[in-house]
Amino acid sequence: MHVDHLTFVAGPDGLKAEAARLGERLGVSLKDGGFHPRFGTRNHILPLVGPRYIEVVEVLDHPAADKAVYGQAVRARSEMGGGWMGWSVSVPDLAPYESRLERKSVPGSRHFPDGRLLEWHQIGIKGLIADPQLPYFIHWESPADVQPSALDGQIRLDTIEISGSRDRVEDWLGETLPDQLEGINFEFTSPNGHPGINAAILDTPAKGLVRV
């Protein structure tokens, strides 16, 4: 299990404004990640040390967004004003998770602005919608040179603050989640509150530790 990325949904000002605002806070510029044709969404990404990344995503006025569970999740968060939607872990094989969740993974893809295609399979978005503290699972299908991990990151993910229950997340993962994993601190608060990511703390070269 590898902590792959965090997803932040753009607010009412839209993707470009949200990406610019986050970039200003962190002292960097985000990259245009392109369009998800199966989900009806598009994103900008911030590569992190790890390798991992943050994506800022917005839902489009597109039929796919109404049909795809991921598009529905992004739209729901957008209608709440945007903010952290969830986190994802990448795994070498999705079969055990398909068996445990009793459903098949779905294909995903993203067209880069330069025309290249990134492909993967994912599962667990329905779980995230029901309980936003839970990560979803992703398996990359494309070669390493087009995956987000191929991008160099200068910012390190220091801490993920989660409102929820470590036991609930561990039950979903099927394994123990230590206080620190891959150099990332996991802090759980408000077990009886509304579940989800409260904040991420990022260690930046330009501005030190920044809580988003």
Side-chain angles (χ1 to χ4, degrees):
M1 184 184 76
H2 166 67
V3 179
D4 193 82
H5 67 274
L6 278 65
T7 299
F8 192 97
V9 174
D13 292 336
L15 176 62
K16 289 186 177 180
E18 196 74 74
R21 187 159 43 239
L22 179 59
E24 183 178 0
R25 290 188 65 183
L26 299 175
V28 295
S29 295
L30 277 70
K31 301 178 183 294
D32 185 348
F35 169 55
H36 306 105
R38 290 187 174 96
F39 302 150
T41 57
R42 63 182 177 185
N43 72 4
H44 279 44
I45 66 171
L46 171 63
L48 302 175
V49 174
R52 54 186 54 90
Y53 65 100
I54 291 173
E55 68 168 345
V56 180
V57 62
E58 74 173 355
V59 68
L60 302 174
D61 184 13
H62 190 281
D66 298 324
K67 297 177 182 178
V69 177
Y70 184 83
Q72 294 168 14
V74 175
R75 187 182 301 282
R77 184 66 200 187
S78 178
E79 290 173 350
M80 294 171 62
W84 292 113
M85 186 179 86
W87 56 297
S88 172
V89 296
S90 58
V91 295
D93 182 10
L94 286 174
Y97 302 95
E98 291 177 324
S99 177
R100 184 149 55 84
L101 299 179
E102 297 182 336
R103 56 180 178 269
K104 289 291 185 180
S105 61
V106 299
S109 64
R110 174 155 55 89
H111 284 288
F112 295 125
D114 62 10
R116 291 177 300 159
L117 180 66
L118 176 66
E119 295 181 291
W120 66 89
H121 276 75
Q122 65 186 46
I123 190 171
I125 295 295
K126 289 182 179 179
L128 181 152
I129 291 174
D131 191 350
Q133 68 183 303
L134 303 178
Y136 68 96
F137 306 97
I138 187 169
H139 174 73
W140 296 104
E141 305 288 356
S142 294
D145 63 341
V146 296
Q147 293 179 25
S149 58
L151 299 172
D152 291 329
Q154 302 299 316
I155 292 175
R156 183 180 64 85
L157 178 58
D158 180 87
T159 303
I160 303 175
E161 298 178 9
I162 298 176
S163 175
S165 163
R166 185 184 299 270
D167 289 344
R168 174 72 178 107
V169 173
E170 289 181 337
D171 181 64
W172 175 256
L173 290 171
E175 59 184 277
T176 299
L177 179 64
D179 290 342
Q180 188 176 88
L181 175 67
E182 299 181 322
I184 304 166
N185 299 299
F186 283 83
E187 297 182 359
F188 284 82
T189 63
S190 306
N192 298 316
H194 184 74
I197 295 178
N198 283 336
I201 298 176
L202 300 152
D203 189 358
T204 74
K207 300 191 176 184
L209 292 176
V210 178
R211 186 175 184 269
V212 177

